[in-house]
Amino acid sequence: MDKIMEPSKKYSQTIQNDSIMLEEIEENTHLIDCEVDCRFGRKQLQEVQFENCQFLTSDYTQTEFLDIIFKKCDLSNFDFNKSIFYRCQFQACKLIGSQFIGSKFKNVFWQDCLMNYSIFSESKLNQVCFEGNQLEEAFFQDVRFDKVEFLKCNLQLADFTESNLNRLDFSTCDFIDIKLSPNLAKGLSIRFDQAAAIAIMLGVTIKN
């Protein structure tokens, strides 16, 4: 896969230990240990890093995130449905149960995040990498994958049904059971010890 483009990190100001409204955040800002609220809703954020910030609003539907970094933030159960993420990074964040239904991702990197039960159904992922994430029982139903990597992730009971898995590689990931559509699994790479879970879905019996 081609190298993922990283977000801009040329910040002109740093705000620390403060409360701020989302509508007031300017471009090229690094926020550390801040409390972030949202009064009227904002549909585009650009060139901002949120580090260990607390968000008081969880609805970010139909929002554009451009050159955004979330680092050590709790975004669990947030609603990012039908949003756009371009050149974004999520580092060591909590996203348990967060929804990204119908969203678009390009040049996005997820690293060491807790993402169990997160929902990416009906989304489009291009130039995206998931590395070292907990994705247990995550939903990737009817997702369009283009140049996407899963590296050293926990995919136990993750649901990839109705998604074309051609050119995906799960061989560095861990799972005992996984959900997928057998007719769309052609071209998927897995390890030998993962084959049993796939064989069961194909109706194949493995004997010693």
Side-chain angles (χ1 to χ4, degrees), residues 1-5 107 127-128 147 149:
M1 188 178 77
D2 297 335
K3 185 177 180 181
I4 293 177
M5 296 175 62
N107 288 295
Q127 291 285 121
V128 173
K147 299 179 181 178
E149 289 184 318

Side-chain angles (χ1 to χ4, degrees), residues 52-64:
N52 198 36
C53 292
Q54 180 183 1
F55 293 83
L56 304 183
T57 301
S58 60
D59 185 357
Y60 296 96
T61 56
Q62 296 182 313
T63 303
E64 291 187 27

Side-chain angles (χ1 to χ4, degrees), residues 2 11 24 36 38 42 60 72 97 112 128 154 157 169 173 182 184 197 199 201:
D2 297 335
Y11 304 117
E24 300 172 354
V36 181
C38 184
R42 179 171 174 175
Y60 296 96
K72 297 181 180 178
D112 298 328
V128 173
N154 175 9
L157 290 175
D169 187 343
C173 299
L184 296 174
M201 283 180 280

Side-chain angles (χ1 to χ4, degrees), residues 102-159:
S103 294
K104 297 179 180 179
F105 303 84
K106 186 170 184 179
N107 288 295
V108 178
F109 184 41
W110 311 75
Q111 184 177 38
D112 298 328
C113 293
L114 183 57
M115 306 174 67
N116 298 337
Y117 312 107
S118 55
I119 306 175
F120 289 85
S121 300
E122 301 175 14
S123 59
K124 298 178 181 179
L125 281 66
N126 177 244
Q127 291 285 121
V128 173
C129 180
F130 295 89
E131 182 175 350
N133 302 292
Q134 294 294 318
L135 286 161
E136 189 168 339
E137 295 192 57
F139 292 87
F140 291 93
Q141 298 167 319
D142 193 19
V143 169
R144 185 181 299 177
F145 295 107
D146 184 12
K147 299 179 181 178
V148 175
E149 289 184 318
F150 288 88
L151 305 173
K152 299 179 181 180
C153 294
N154 175 9
L155 296 178
Q156 173 64 6
L157 290 175
D159 191 339

Side-chain angles (χ1 to χ4, degrees), residues 4-113:
I4 293 177
M5 296 175 62
E6 295 188 359
S8 171
K9 300 177 184 178
K10 297 179 180 179
Y11 304 117
S12 58
Q13 64 173 331
T14 299
I15 301 175
Q16 190 165 5
N17 295 310
D18 199 359
S19 296
I20 189 168
M21 301 302 295
L22 196 71
E23 295 85 354
E24 300 172 354
I25 299 175
E26 299 178 358
E27 294 181 11
N28 304 309
T29 300
H30 186 182
L31 291 93
I32 305 173
D33 298 319
C34 289
E35 185 177 81
V36 181
D37 202 355
C38 184
R39 183 181 296 112
F40 305 112
R42 179 171 174 175
K43 292 307 177 184
Q44 187 181 88
L45 276 173
Q46 186 169 348
E47 297 183 23
V48 179
Q49 179 172 174
F50 299 96
E51 183 174 348
N52 198 36
C53 292
Q54 180 183 1
F55 293 83
L56 304 183
T57 301
S58 60
D59 185 357
Y60 296 96
T61 56
Q62 296 182 313
T63 303
E64 291 187 27
F65 297 88
L66 311 175
D67 290 290
I68 302 297
I69 298 175
F70 293 98
K71 185 175 182 179
K72 297 181 180 178
C73 295
D74 189 348
L75 309 172
S76 296
N77 297 310
F78 277 34
D79 187 344
F80 295 104
N81 292 340
K82 297 182 179 180
S83 292
I84 295 174
F85 296 84
Y86 182 64
R87 282 200 307 261
C88 294
Q89 293 183 355
F90 294 80
Q91 303 173 4
C93 291
K94 290 180 65 177
L95 297 119
I96 299 173
S98 293
Q99 299 185 33
F100 300 89
I101 300 171
S103 294
K104 297 179 180 179
F105 303 84
K106 186 170 184 179
N107 288 295
V108 178
F109 184 41
W110 311 75
Q111 184 177 38
D112 298 328
C113 293

Side-chain angles (χ1 to χ4, degrees), residues 171 173-176 190-197:
S171 63
C173 299
D174 293 319
F175 63 86
I176 298 175
I190 58 174
R191 294 194 311 268
F192 178 81
D193 61 297
Q194 297 169 332

